[in-house]
Amino acid sequence: QVQLVESGGGLVQAGGSLRLSCGVSGSTFVINTMGWYRQAPGKQRELVATISRSQTTNYADSVMGRFTISRDNAKNTVYLQMKSLQPEDTAVYYCYLHRHLTNDDYWGQGTQVTVSS
């Protein structure tokens, strides 16, 4: 019922920027929380940022001040603007949605972000 499709990943030099997008298919009337997680090779998946329907945001300390999460409720899309990227940001980035109606969690397929030194 709910599918998350990501785009915007790629290879960027240190200090560069990327913007990730995640489009959500399904009911736009469902109140949800969306966010981004990332997972580096051999590491556990970790929180990057979350955003509520009312635009309340939370960020991991490691990305605060560099990354900005936003959402367009009309388009049912969440974005992650990443600036001043560093090699340690290299990971697969996953879009996340928590559907409050059913208390279900949904994940995107992941998009690779690689930051070269």
Side-chain angles (χ1 to χ4, degrees), residues 21 36 46 63 83-84 91:
S21 300
W36 294 90
E46 65 176 358
V63 307
K83 299 180 179 180
S84 300

Side-chain angles (χ1 to χ4, degrees), residues 1-99:
Q1 283 287 349
V2 177
Q3 293 184 323
L4 285 65
V5 180
E6 302 166 340
S7 62
L11 175 65
V12 65
Q13 294 182 349
S17 300
L18 285 173
R19 189 177 80 152
L20 306 182
S21 300
C22 175
V24 180
S25 64
S27 177
T28 60
F29 298 100
V30 175
I31 297 176
N32 58 62
T33 296
M34 299 188 68
W36 294 90
Y37 288 71
R38 67 186 182 186
Q39 187 168 22
K43 303 292 181 62
Q44 293 185 344
R45 190 173 299 185
E46 65 176 358
L47 170 73
V48 177
T50 62
I51 184 168
S52 72
R53 189 174 181 87
S54 62
Q55 309 290 343
T56 299
T57 59
N58 287 289
Y59 296 93
D61 290 341
S62 60
V63 307
M64 195 175 302
R66 298 187 298 119
F67 291 9
T68 302
I69 188 170
S70 61
R71 65 188 293 167
D72 186 331
N73 290 331
K75 297 181 178 179
N76 218 16
T77 302
V78 65
Y79 306 93
L80 185 68
Q81 179 66 57
M82 304 183 292
K83 299 180 179 180
S84 300
L85 283 162
Q86 303 298 317
E88 54 265 35
D89 296 316
T90 296
V92 177
Y93 284 69
Y94 296 91
C95 184
Y96 164 81
L97 182 149
H98 178 75
R99 194 181 185 200

